[in-house]
Each structure stands twice: as C-alpha cells, then as structure tokens.
Amino acid sequence: MRVVLLILISLFPSLAHAQSVGEQALLQLANESRAQYRLPPLTWDAALARAARLHVIRSAKAGGIAQHQYPGEPDLLARAAQAGAKFSTISENVAGNATSAAQIHDAWMHSPAHRSNILDPHVTSVGIAVALSQPRGQSQPVLYAVEDFSRTVDTLSPADVEVRAQQILLSRGIRSDTTVDAKKDARQACINGTATLTQPSLILQWEGPDLKDLPATVLPQLTNSRKQTVAIGTCPPAQAAQGFTTYRIAVLVY
C-alpha cells in the first residue's frame, strides 16, 4: 500500500532532536507502567532516539504491519551502534496503524514480548520515535512508533577502567598495587596472560559488560583478602561486538 508521509522531522531539521508530543506521551506511559511495578524510570537516550527515528521513517514509508527490519536496512544492533549508542543489552518495540500513542502503549502492554521490554528491570534508557502516515483511501493519518531500550554503560578510557575497577575492589577490602611494574605486568597479562616484571601468585582474566561483576570472579580466588594485593590492567576485548560495551581486565594477585 502506497502512503503519503507527514513527518515533521523531515520538514523541520532543527526539531530533529526534540521530543514530539507522541514521543513524550510514550515515555511517560512507559515510566508510569514501570512505576506500578516499582521499577526505576527510563531516561531518554538521544542516540537511541536517532536510531528509532530512522527506523520509524522506514516503517511509515513501508506501511502495513511494522517490522523490526526491512530489506536493505541494518539490524537493531547496527542501527543503534551507528547512531552512537553504547550498551550492554538492547531491545525494541515497534507498532503501526495506530490512532494515538495511548493505543500503541496499550497494545504493547497486552503483548507479552513488548510488555517484557517495557518492564525489563535491566534496561535503563530508551529512545522513542513517532511518525505520521496517511494511507491512501483513508481519511485519517495513522501513527507508527519505535521504542529502543538499552542498558547504558559508561564509555571509559583504559585508565578510567582500571581506576574504576580498583575502587570497586577496594570497596570489598582488596587493595591494589599501583606501582609502574605492577601496572605494566597487569596490562601485559591482559593481552597474553603472562607477567615478566613481577611475581604474582595468580593471574585472573575477566571480561564482561559491567565492572560491578568483577568481584564475583576475584573474591573466590583470594585466600586472605586483607593481606593480599592485586594489580589491575585492561586491554581491548577479545571479540568486541558493534555497539556493545565490553571490558577486559587482568587481575594479578600478590
């Protein structure tokens, strides 16, 4: 079915990053639903919103039932990464042929998969886009909407990763050796698993999206955390997926 589009962001580029009334309504409705289950509100993510806008335009142009991916279009992970989003998890809701934002949200809440995305306790951010489409033969335009959810993670430099990891372990009673040789060895061990300048009793390697998970790997390996120290070094992850933030760390135990 051919459609004629009425998309304000195409007519007024200066408004491309402003939330429309429909987008504001969907954000409010999502957070109201989360509040009912004592879940924290989602924060607006501009990068996710850019990815959602590009996709909702494709949806409105195509017409019919909204899809998660159209021929020749990148998938959700690629769209979000290309828009500049950084995340450890991501999901998406799409809808079309609706008369209002409230109708879209109600439909999502009555669909198990879409409801699960809205009420996911692990996501922290959302980007929403709404577009109007005028189907041929219909007197009223219809709404298309996209919600992209993610768990946003900080973009840290290697030095910042090491400092953050040291702080997390210190909060668990584990002191860090920050001497030059210890740092060099930890960074080398992160890459190739060896230490040549110092003599650690144990070398641990950890990779994951959340530094707060690091103690669960380190603590069980320590015999007496009050007497032991560690050196921490970071390096690029073994298999970095586009858009996903993954940390790779070596912990040298002394």
Side-chain angles (χ1 to χ4, degrees):
M1 178 183 295
R2 187 177 180 180
V3 296
V4 178
L5 299 179
L6 304 173
I7 301 174
L8 293 181
I9 59 173
S10 297
L11 301 177
F12 302 100
S14 63
L15 298 179
H17 298 290
Q19 294 178 28
S20 70
V21 173
E23 291 159 4
Q24 291 173 359
L26 286 174
L27 176 62
Q28 180 178 343
L29 289 166
N31 282 333
E32 287 176 354
S33 293
R34 288 176 65 87
Q36 293 176 7
Y37 291 87
R38 298 183 179 180
L39 295 171
L42 299 170
T43 58
W44 185 264
D45 186 293
L48 289 177
R50 287 193 292 270
R53 286 189 181 101
L54 291 175
H55 187 60
V56 83
I57 291 173
R58 294 290 294 266
S59 296
K61 285 182 177 179
I65 299 174
Q67 305 293 328
H68 287 285
Q69 186 177 11
Y70 292 91
E73 182 188 35
D75 63 14
L76 170 61
L77 298 183
R79 294 197 303 268
Q82 290 169 6
K86 296 292 183 180
F87 44 84
S88 60
T89 186
I90 192 166
S91 57
E92 182 178 68
N93 285 349
V94 297
N97 290 304
T99 58
S100 68
Q103 183 188 38
I104 290 174
H105 180 74
D106 184 68
W108 281 337
M109 291 300 291
H110 283 85
S111 164
H114 297 89
R115 176 189 177 92
S116 178
N117 287 339
I118 293 172
L119 300 181
D120 186 348
H122 300 104
V123 299
T124 58
S125 305
V126 67
I128 303 172
V130 173
L132 277 172
S133 172
Q134 180 68 62
R136 176 171 293 182
Q138 294 188 24
S139 59
Q140 297 296 325
V142 294
L143 286 178
Y144 282 77
V146 174
E147 284 182 337
D148 287 342
F149 305 89
S150 79
R151 181 175 183 84
T152 303
V153 292
D154 295 331
T155 302
L156 303 174
S157 68
D160 289 338
V161 171
E162 293 172 0
V163 170
R164 184 76 62 87
Q166 289 167 6
Q167 293 171 340
I168 291 172
L169 292 180
L170 182 60
S171 71
R172 305 295 290 271
I174 306 171
R175 294 175 293 115
S176 295
D177 184 342
T178 58
T179 60
V180 172
D181 284 352
K183 283 186 175 182
K184 285 183 177 179
D185 259 357
R187 291 166 183 166
Q188 176 179 308
C190 183
I191 297 171
N192 57 29
T194 62
T196 58
L197 301 176
T198 61
Q199 294 183 328
S201 60
L202 181 66
I203 297 177
L204 304 173
Q205 290 186 321
W206 174 88
E207 190 166 311
D210 192 337
L211 291 173
K212 294 179 182 178
D213 294 335
L214 178 61
T217 299
V218 176
L219 285 171
Q221 308 299 326
L222 304 183
T223 57
N224 189 334
S225 62
R226 293 187 177 182
K227 292 183 179 180
Q228 291 177 295
T229 60
V230 300
I232 296 173
T234 188
C235 59
Q239 293 182 333
Q242 188 178 30
F244 282 96
T245 295
T246 303
Y247 303 110
R248 185 179 183 186
I249 289 174
V251 180
L252 277 55
V253 181
Y254 299 98

